[in-house]
């Protein structure tokens, strides 16, 4: 190993050791340990010594450190991730409305294949028969095992309408499926009529200017609605908590709707302090396991503070705030820096939203949700 590589290796070891120290001492949010930091340093030193002395080939310091860094960050929680330069660019562009997608929502734990938890209606994925519960083992022949959740989500999207090859596992069978990428939504929402005079407001994502568009285009229709307005946030897995707060403000006014618990128990209070345009409109909310993040915040707050009836499947509990921290080489760390709590003190992170009215996992169709909702509301 050259002197230059030796220095690089030592620098890498110091970086990794520093990260271990910060996590173990609780200086970085979201991670704690019951073990002594000194035991971790001892273990780290032993591992490094074994690799240098006994590994069959000379170790590439840069590759080893990138692998260690990625594994460390990706294992923190389901949404934290190390992103290379290309994925940092994709992440910053994911709010663009013209990105093409295939129409599946995934969940993924560290060291496992991503699993389909939601399929967008009328999407290429639905038309090709992708099902909830399918595991995705490869994207364009690239294994998904070592990808983080955010990396798999970013890989599904592209600025161009080019096909995506998916290898999926269904039971004991492996299938190869080619999905076309397409523009899934022209707007962040859709409004439709339901039986009995109710309406269904479907929210696809909570990226700006979602609320601004709703105020302009939907308020004249819904302001005087006497029947129940159904908020459909099934498969709503993207957006900003700040935009979700503005959406909540359409239905209630409060100086505090909940808070983000951040590092060292610091609290960031979330409010909806403007006049609520739809404060008198009766509400019901549809959720499923692919209602993630801001969608969970909307459902949980309106359930608690507006007594809105929630219909569906329990959510995963991923209501938190993630921030991207750029690194010198153009890559970045996406870290969970806050987790959401309701006014009641209930922690939504890893708890999720519990519906009052349950839907069968095997039948999550629009018709099933609507029939169940109208039955409960005693609508004709």
């Amino acid at each position: 190993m050259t002197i230059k590589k030796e220095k690089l290796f030592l620098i890498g070891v110091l970086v990794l050791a520093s990260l271990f120290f910060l996590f173990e001492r609780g200086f970085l949010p979201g991670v704690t340990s019951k073990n002594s930091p000194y035991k971790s340093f001892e273990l780290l030193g032993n591992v490094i010594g074994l690799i240098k002395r006994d590994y069959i080939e000379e170790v590439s310091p840069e590759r080893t450190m990138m692998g260690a860094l990625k594994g460390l960050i990706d294992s923190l929680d389901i949404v934290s991730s190390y992103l290379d330069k290309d994925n940092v660019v994709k992440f910053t562009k994911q709010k663009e409305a013209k990105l093409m997608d295939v129409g599946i929502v995934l969940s993924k734990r560290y060291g496992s294949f991503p699993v389909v938890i939601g399929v967008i209606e009328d999407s290429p994925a639905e038309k090709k028969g992708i099902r909830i519960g399918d595991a995705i083992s490869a994207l364009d022949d690239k294994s998904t095992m070592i990808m983080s959740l955010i990396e798999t989500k970013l890989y599904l999207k592209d600025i161009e309408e080019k096909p995506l090859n998916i290898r999926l596992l269904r039971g004991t069978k492996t299938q190869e499926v080619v999905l076309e990428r397409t523009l899934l939504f022209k707007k962040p929402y859709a409004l439709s009529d339901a039986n009995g005079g109710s309406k269904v407001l479907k929210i696809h994502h909570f990226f700006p200017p979602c609320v601004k568009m709703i105020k302009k285009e939907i308020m004249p229709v819904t302001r005087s609605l006497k029947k129940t307005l159904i908020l459909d946030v099934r498969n709503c897995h993207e957006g900003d908590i700040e935009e979700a707060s503005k959406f909540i403000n359409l239905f209630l006014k409060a100086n505090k709707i909940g808070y983000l618990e951040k590092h060292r128990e610091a609290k960031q209070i979330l409010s909806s302090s403007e006049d609520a345009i739809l404060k008198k409109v009766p509400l019901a909310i549809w959720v499923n396991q692919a209602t993630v993040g801001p969608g969970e915040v909307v459902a949980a707050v309106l359930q608690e503070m507006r007594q809105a009836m929630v219909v569906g499947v329990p959510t995963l509990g991923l209501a938190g705030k993630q921030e991207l921290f750029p690194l010198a080489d153009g890559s970045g760390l996406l870290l969970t820096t806050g987790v959401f709590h309701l006014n009641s003190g209930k922690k939504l992170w890893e708890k999720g939203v519990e519906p009052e009215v349950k839907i069968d996992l095997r039948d999550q169709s629009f018709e099933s949700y609507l029939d169940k909702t109208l039955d409960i509301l005693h609508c004709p």
Side-chain angles (χ1 to χ4, degrees):
M1 188 180 291
T2 64
I3 295 176
K4 183 178 180 181
K5 286 186 176 181
E6 287 279 5
K7 288 183 178 180
L8 180 59
F9 185 78
L10 289 174
I11 291 172
V13 169
L14 288 173
V15 170
L16 186 57
S18 298
L19 285 170
F20 263 89
F21 181 75
L22 290 171
F23 287 132
E24 295 285 354
R25 299 294 292 178
F27 293 137
L28 294 181
V31 179
T32 59
S33 174
K34 297 179 181 179
N35 297 325
S36 164
Y38 305 105
K39 289 184 178 180
S40 296
F41 281 125
E42 181 180 352
L43 175 62
L44 178 62
N46 290 338
V47 170
I48 293 170
L50 286 170
I51 292 173
K52 292 182 68 176
R53 186 181 68 245
D54 295 324
Y55 188 64
I56 191 171
E57 296 178 350
E58 184 178 6
V59 176
S60 166
E62 183 176 3
R63 181 180 176 186
T64 301
M65 285 311 303
M66 285 301 99
L69 180 60
K70 177 175 170 54
L72 176 63
I73 303 303
D74 291 358
S75 64
L76 292 176
D77 60 58
I78 193 172
V79 284
S80 293
S81 178
Y82 168 79
L83 300 179
D84 62 21
K85 288 185 282 189
D86 292 338
N87 276 319
V88 166
V89 174
K90 284 185 178 181
F91 181 81
T92 57
K93 291 184 176 181
Q94 68 172 337
K95 298 180 183 181
E96 295 182 6
K98 294 184 179 180
L99 285 179
M100 310 299 165
D101 204 344
V102 297
I104 56 178
V105 186
L106 300 173
S107 178
K108 186 182 189 300
R109 294 292 178 181
Y110 179 67
S112 64
F113 291 131
V115 176
V116 177
I117 58 172
V119 181
I120 307 298
E121 294 175 353
D122 298 322
S123 67
E126 185 185 60
K127 292 174 183 177
K128 282 295 183 77
I130 303 297
R131 303 176 190 171
I132 292 173
D134 287 344
I136 308 298
S137 63
L139 298 171
D140 288 336
D141 292 324
K142 298 178 181 179
S143 174
T144 58
M145 181 68 78
I146 60 173
M147 291 183 181
S148 64
L149 174 61
I150 189 64
E151 285 176 308
T152 59
K153 290 173 63 176
L154 292 173
Y155 200 97
L156 298 177
K157 300 183 180 185
D158 201 280
I159 196 168
E160 299 177 1
E161 292 183 335
K162 59 183 181 181
L164 174 65
N165 296 299
I166 290 182
R167 184 182 305 131
L168 62 86
L169 306 176
R170 181 177 295 164
T172 58
K173 297 182 179 180
T174 301
Q175 299 183 32
E176 299 282 346
V177 180
V178 178
L179 299 178
E180 299 296 329
R181 291 184 175 95
T182 187
L183 184 62
L184 296 177
F185 317 116
K186 293 182 179 179
K187 295 181 179 180
Y189 64 86
L191 185 68
S192 60
D193 293 323
N195 298 333
S198 296
K199 290 187 178 295
V200 179
L201 176 58
K202 172 68 176 176
I203 304 296
H204 302 304
H205 61 73
F206 283 108
F207 286 130
C210 175
V211 176
K212 184 178 180 180
M213 294 176 67
I214 288 174
K215 284 183 176 180
K216 180 180 179 180
E217 301 178 16
I218 290 186
M219 287 305 101
V221 179
T222 56
R223 188 192 298 267
S224 58
L225 186 66
K226 301 299 182 183
K227 297 293 184 178
T228 299
L229 176 64
I230 299 170
L231 300 179
D232 183 359
V233 288
R234 294 173 302 152
N235 301 324
C236 180
H237 63 289
E238 296 180 313
D240 301 328
I241 286 185
E242 291 77 9
E243 189 73 3
S245 297
K246 294 178 182 178
F247 182 81
I248 291 169
N249 201 175
L250 297 176
F251 304 96
L252 64 88
K253 178 181 179 180
N255 291 327
K256 180 184 176 185
I257 60 171
Y259 60 90
L260 286 167
E261 185 176 8
K262 308 192 79 174
H263 175 53
R264 292 192 178 278
E265 299 184 355
K267 295 180 181 180
Q268 177 185 339
I269 304 299
L270 300 180
S271 65
S272 296
S273 54
E274 297 182 7
D275 288 335
I277 304 172
L278 302 176
K279 62 183 178 181
K280 295 183 179 180
V281 174
L283 289 178
I285 305 172
W286 292 353
V287 300
N288 65 358
Q289 64 271 48
T291 303
V292 175
E296 291 181 281
V297 172
V298 167
V301 170
L302 293 178
Q303 181 186 45
E304 180 175 276
M305 301 185 68
R306 258 296 231 112
Q307 289 73 55
M309 179 182 68
V310 177
V311 180
V313 179
T315 67
L316 294 180
L318 297 179
K321 185 176 182 62
Q322 286 74 42
E323 295 183 62
L324 181 64
F325 297 90
L327 299 178
D329 64 351
S331 62
L333 301 182
L334 182 67
L335 297 178
T336 299
T337 58
V339 294
F340 186 78
H341 292 247
L342 293 165
N343 270 347
S344 62
K346 177 186 175 183
K347 182 180 177 182
L348 206 55
W349 181 261
E350 296 182 338
K351 303 295 183 182
V353 180
E354 190 68 28
E356 289 94 353
V357 182
K358 301 291 179 64
I359 291 289
D360 192 329
L361 276 170
R362 296 166 296 181
D363 183 8
Q364 298 186 46
S365 64
F366 179 93
E367 292 75 16
S368 294
Y369 271 81
L370 184 59
D371 289 345
K372 182 75 73 171
T373 304
L374 296 182
D375 284 345
I376 298 298
L377 295 174
H378 306 292
C379 293

